[in-house]
Amino acid sequence: MRIELQVNGQRRAVEVRPDATLLEVLREDLRLTGAKNGCGEGTCGACTVIMGGKAVRACRTPVVKAADQEIITVEGLSPREKEVYAFAFTAAGAVQCGFCTPGMVMEAKALLDRQPDPTEDEIRQAFKVHLCRCTGYQKIIDAVRLAGRVLRGEIEPWAGEPAGMGKAFFRPDARAKVLGEAIFVDDMQVSGMLYGAVFRLPCARAKVKAIDVTAAKKQPGVVAVLTAEDIPGERYQGHIFKDWPALIAVGEETRYAGDALALVAARTLKEARAALDYIKVDYEELPPLTTPAEAMAPGAPALHPRGNILSETVVRKGDPEAALKSCAHVVTRTYTTPFTEHAFLEPESALAVPEEDGITVYTGTQGVYEIHTQLVSLLNLPPDKVRVVNKCVGGGFGGKEDLSVQHHAALLAWATRQPVKLTWTRRESILCHPKRHAMTITMTTGCDEKGNLVALVADLVADTGAYASLGAQVLQRACTHATGPYRIPHVSIRGRAVYTNNPPAGAFRGFGVPQSNFAIESQLNILAEAVGLSPWQIRWQNALEPGDTLGTRQVVGPDIGLKDTLLAVKEAFESSPHAGIACGFKNVGLGVGTKDVGRARLEVRDGRVKIYSGAACMGQGLEAVLIQIVAETTGLSADSIDCILSDTALTPDAGCTTASRQSLFTGEATRRAAAELATALKGRNLAELEGQVFHGEFSGVTDPLDSDKEHPVTHVGYSYATQVVILDEEGRVAKVVAAYDVGRAVNPLNLEGQIEGGIVMGLGYALTEDFPVKDGIPLRQTLGRLGLLRSHQIPRMEVHLIEKGGTPYAYGAKGIGELATIPTAAAVAGAYYRRDGKVRLSLPLEDTPYTRK
């Protein structure tokens, strides 16, 4: 049918399907991509536009209801409004991944149009229909208030501080993200583009007997239907272990409900998805293994040729069994933590474009080179014939490290010789990508009569789900950090990662440490009460200091600021009887003997410095960090520096954005290249260096976990933190005070926002987020049912940045992204323990005002 829409002051006649949504028409027909499709269910607010003067969710608005209504998208803001909102969100530090930001801006406009000077509570209420997984909301609230002040003429915008270490430099990508100009993969369209769709079975474990795609190939618009036999290269892929088939073959078993059996490419998305109904599979459903106990039981079917144990980790120091016998107080408890969903706002998307004898894949990933390696193997092509290019990444948190859509889009494009875009629905994203590991942790901790820790024995079992992903490494970090940042002479820790038929588990912010941190910090609270110490005091007297050894026997360096973080929050803790406290620490870099290299290349071109690095920015502000490091090293203005990231054809491999490593590793590589540039600049200007190239590389050399050295170097560095959570009279979280040993803050404004986002993620982990699975099938497959906290639910947050100088690299900057989340759940548990004396052993915590009925 043909209708007329009044969009951004222009009348537009469009042919639409009667069942089309306003969002579909805006994005696909009118090419207004500022409104994003984050959920398709009206839950996240990323698609917000103004219709008839009111903010509406375009994904749930039938386009027929929009006829003759005045519609304003972010592209239709006035020039003045664009300047104000771009400034306000940038200056407030409210921009990270940017996927949700244009929708937030439209909500802000609707609010400020009707209420020019809203209160903070009014802003929180207006934004409760929006989700943001990056910022923690507080800086978004600050941005709306700042925009209101500018619009009312109370203040004038400013330009931020000059680039350099410790400066509130405005991140260069902010404006485009605020105004919907930043390009995410699903915003892209190219000539001749087809759409991809994936066929899966409705059960977790099944023996596939036959696949018939004959009827599907005959459906309208269908160009190709592929199965396992159409894969030209290695079918089994994986980030580290090659145990994950790109497509399940006839005669094999599926291992989880997200396994792909067939791929469809068609002229339209609707045609591609419709054709899935015509794929016929003969299969035998088999009983799934849904717990590690089932998978480890004698006689259990082997889910992989190697068996059902993916990996085992052992950490040992001293003689803990004997030492426990000497302890005045010994506590043993078993803790359980659930699967949780990353819930990044941008669903996975890839656009594969075949070239003459190669292919380019546009995507949003945490590691373009990791994806590149697997695509080369899958397609059986020379490495120089495969190019992977990151567009903007709408959040990751560890959930965009594995192959998801890239390989399927590439297979379809290679088979059809046409561009193919494949974007997951929110349900597919929830169903398919790896989660945070569910763990069971049994821990015994002993101390002397004064509360000094003596020994720790722990057993960890991690449900790694159907495939390895990074499960072995996650288990390793959970074990190596299970002591907490404390001096414990005698340690014995054993961990096992177990395959099941549940969704795969892999990297997730904190990388196994939030789980073991919940256990050790809860143990400390129980011991403190037994000894008669305050929770703050027992942490203070056991806190690591320079010269102490970790559970891995690594010697603690002089840059540790753990006790400084404890002092920073002491008053906040002691001022409330219902305050909980927890410390945490997290490695920076891959460590444990793994090759770990950061790389950068600086080129002088057209009187400007171009920074090239394969490192991925998924919202943390890496571009700003690298520009600030170059500016600090060379004295150049940011106006003369550009940054190009994550393109395997242009940028050197800088490793995956994981393990809180990029600021230190790629930051140090950039500093080294910039130091060479600074030397070359002495007595000359950029024009005189035209065409010159400067390379930087930094390798973090570490020892494996089983090293026989007396004091191995397990990681190049660690960050430390302490959090205090304060409850109000009703038992709700009223305030979080957090102190972080950051080494050196490159950009305090952006760093605070990242920490606040991590705190809110930790609060959700503690109180509201869960991911129940029955027979291997997730029970909650929509964004709105995951228990994500919203703007009206968050407490006040107070962040203290402790700068102790850090490592000798990258001006002392240490990664903080993962650590931001680690102590939160334990601090919340400690607050409730002080409030009612109940030891809560499971997450999300039971018997709180947040508990789902």
Side-chain angles (χ1 to χ4, degrees), residues 515-537:
Q515 295 94 314
S516 56
N517 179 268
F518 172 56
I520 180 59
E521 293 293 321
S522 297
Q523 293 282 96
L524 281 185
N525 292 334
I526 300 170
L527 287 172
E529 185 173 55
V531 175
L533 294 175
S534 79
W536 185 91
Q537 182 61 40

Side-chain angles (χ1 to χ4, degrees), residues 551-599:
T552 61
R553 309 189 312 281
Q554 179 172 359
V555 177
V556 176
D559 64 315
I560 182 171
L562 176 61
K563 283 200 163 183
D564 300 81
T565 69
L566 276 161
L567 289 172
V569 303
K570 183 179 182 182
E571 182 179 353
F573 176 76
E574 293 180 344
S575 66
S576 171
H578 296 160
I581 188 171
C583 298
F585 77 129
K586 181 67 175 66
N587 61 285
V588 180
L590 304 178
V592 293
T594 306
K595 184 178 180 180
D596 196 1
V597 184
R599 296 183 181 91

Side-chain angles (χ1 to χ4, degrees), residues 480-716:
T480 58
H481 290 65
T483 58
Y486 303 112
R487 184 188 313 107
I488 307 179
H490 303 277
V491 174
S492 178
I493 300 165
R494 179 197 183 199
R496 286 163 290 171
V498 185
Y499 285 119
T500 67
N501 291 120
N502 291 322
F508 195 155
R509 194 176 203 166
F511 211 77
V513 184
Q515 295 94 314
S516 56
N517 179 268
F518 172 56
I520 180 59
E521 293 293 321
S522 297
Q523 293 282 96
L524 281 185
N525 292 334
I526 300 170
L527 287 172
E529 185 173 55
V531 175
L533 294 175
S534 79
W536 185 91
Q537 182 61 40
I538 198 169
R539 287 167 172 82
W540 173 262
Q541 69 187 47
N542 288 288
L544 289 170
E545 296 182 5
D548 288 336
T549 59
L550 305 174
T552 61
R553 309 189 312 281
Q554 179 172 359
V555 177
V556 176
D559 64 315
I560 182 171
L562 176 61
K563 283 200 163 183
D564 300 81
T565 69
L566 276 161
L567 289 172
V569 303
K570 183 179 182 182
E571 182 179 353
F573 176 76
E574 293 180 344
S575 66
S576 171
H578 296 160
I581 188 171
C583 298
F585 77 129
K586 181 67 175 66
N587 61 285
V588 180
L590 304 178
V592 293
T594 306
K595 184 178 180 180
D596 196 1
V597 184
R599 296 183 181 91
R601 183 179 74 251
L602 272 54
E603 296 184 7
V604 180
R605 192 175 343 126
D606 300 325
R608 303 182 63 79
V609 177
K610 308 283 187 179
I611 307 169
Y612 292 90
S613 178
C617 179
M618 51 188 177
Q620 78 274 31
L622 180 61
E623 182 181 7
V625 167
L626 300 185
I627 289 174
Q628 288 181 254
I629 287 174
V630 171
E632 178 77 16
T633 308
T634 63
L636 294 170
S637 165
D639 293 338
S640 62
I641 306 170
D642 301 315
C643 189
I644 298 92
L645 300 175
S646 295
D647 182 336
T648 58
L650 300 177
T651 60
D653 185 0
C656 194
T657 295
T658 188
S660 302
R661 60 180 294 279
Q662 292 296 4
S663 289
L664 192 158
F665 279 74
T666 300
E668 173 61 11
T670 302
R671 188 200 64 78
R672 293 181 179 187
E676 291 188 10
L677 171 60
T679 299
L681 276 171
K682 290 180 179 178
R684 290 184 283 182
N685 57 37
L686 283 176
E688 295 174 276
L689 300 180
E690 181 69 22
Q692 292 198 30
V693 179
F694 305 89
H695 296 273
E697 182 172 305
F698 170 69
S699 296
V701 180
T702 55
D703 299 309
L705 200 57
D706 60 358
S707 171
D708 58 5
K709 290 183 180 179
E710 182 180 1
H711 296 299
V713 177
T714 316
H715 292 283
V716 297

Side-chain angles (χ1 to χ4, degrees), residues 198-212 247-263 276-277 279-286 427-428 431-432 467 501 775-778 781:
V198 183
F199 179 88
R200 301 178 177 89
L201 291 178
C203 57
R205 181 171 173 241
K207 180 69 173 290
V208 178
K209 298 180 177 180
I211 302 174
D212 185 357
L247 291 169
I248 299 291
V250 172
E252 289 184 335
E253 289 184 11
T254 62
R255 295 181 177 90
Y256 86 120
D259 268 329
L261 280 74
L263 309 174
L276 298 178
D277 294 336
I279 296 173
K280 304 303 178 186
V281 178
D282 181 12
Y283 66 94
E284 176 189 358
E285 187 170 353
L286 301 172
R427 177 185 175 277
E428 287 179 297
L431 182 71
C432 297
Y467 298 107
N501 291 120
D775 297 327
I777 309 295
Q781 296 184 22

Side-chain angles (χ1 to χ4, degrees), residues 119-204:
T119 65
E120 180 167 324
D121 187 61
E122 287 173 330
I123 298 171
R124 286 174 180 259
Q125 289 299 315
F127 277 78
K128 69 181 182 181
V129 296
H130 291 262
L131 287 171
C132 178
R133 199 65 160 156
C134 295
T135 66
Y137 302 107
Q138 184 57 57
K139 294 203 180 300
I140 292 169
I141 295 166
D142 296 343
V144 177
R145 301 189 75 175
L146 184 58
R149 294 188 66 195
V150 177
L151 289 170
R152 296 192 303 272
E154 297 175 4
I155 59 173
E156 289 294 323
W158 58 87
E161 295 182 353
M165 293 296 294
K167 303 296 185 181
F169 169 63
F170 283 3
R171 50 189 297 168
D173 59 347
R175 179 184 174 87
K177 289 179 174 179
V178 172
L179 301 180
E181 297 166 359
I183 304 299
F184 296 83
V185 179
D186 197 40
D187 298 334
M188 300 177 70
Q189 284 191 7
V190 296
S191 177
M193 188 177 78
L194 304 176
Y195 293 84
V198 183
F199 179 88
R200 301 178 177 89
L201 291 178
C203 57

Side-chain angles (χ1 to χ4, degrees), residues 367-390:
V368 289
Y369 276 91
E370 285 72 16
I371 299 298
H372 177 269
T373 298
Q374 295 174 79
L375 293 183
V376 165
S377 170
L378 182 78
L379 297 174
N380 194 26
L381 289 173
D384 64 343
K385 299 303 180 183
V386 177
R387 179 184 183 186
V388 180
V389 182
N390 245 10

Side-chain angles (χ1 to χ4, degrees), residues 23-176:
L23 182 62
E24 290 174 317
V25 174
L26 289 173
R27 289 180 59 81
E28 297 171 19
D29 297 296
L30 302 183
R31 301 300 300 135
L32 296 170
T33 57
K36 308 300 182 186
N37 188 359
C39 65
E41 62 191 63
T43 292
C44 73
C47 66
T48 299
V49 299
I50 295 175
M51 187 174 79
K54 296 181 179 180
V56 300
R57 292 346 119 202
C59 76
R60 302 295 290 173
T61 302
V63 72
V64 293
K65 291 190 175 181
D68 300 321
Q69 296 267 17
E70 183 182 4
I71 300 164
I72 304 174
T73 71
V74 69
E75 292 91 343
L77 295 175
S78 71
R80 165 69 170 162
E81 289 173 325
K82 288 183 178 181
E83 292 302 317
V84 169
Y85 288 112
F87 158 73
F89 275 73
T90 304
V95 183
Q96 289 189 39
C97 86
F99 190 83
C100 68
T101 310
M104 299 269 191
V105 168
M106 298 313 292
E107 192 72 57
K109 172 178 166 56
L111 173 62
L112 294 174
D113 281 353
R114 68 176 182 268
Q115 171 56 282
D117 189 12
T119 65
E120 180 167 324
D121 187 61
E122 287 173 330
I123 298 171
R124 286 174 180 259
Q125 289 299 315
F127 277 78
K128 69 181 182 181
V129 296
H130 291 262
L131 287 171
C132 178
R133 199 65 160 156
C134 295
T135 66
Y137 302 107
Q138 184 57 57
K139 294 203 180 300
I140 292 169
I141 295 166
D142 296 343
V144 177
R145 301 189 75 175
L146 184 58
R149 294 188 66 195
V150 177
L151 289 170
R152 296 192 303 272
E154 297 175 4
I155 59 173
E156 289 294 323
W158 58 87
E161 295 182 353
M165 293 296 294
K167 303 296 185 181
F169 169 63
F170 283 3
R171 50 189 297 168
D173 59 347
R175 179 184 174 87

Side-chain angles (χ1 to χ4, degrees), residues 768-781:
T768 59
E769 293 184 39
D770 199 357
F771 196 78
V773 176
K774 182 178 181 181
D775 297 327
I777 309 295
L779 295 180
R780 298 170 184 164
Q781 296 184 22

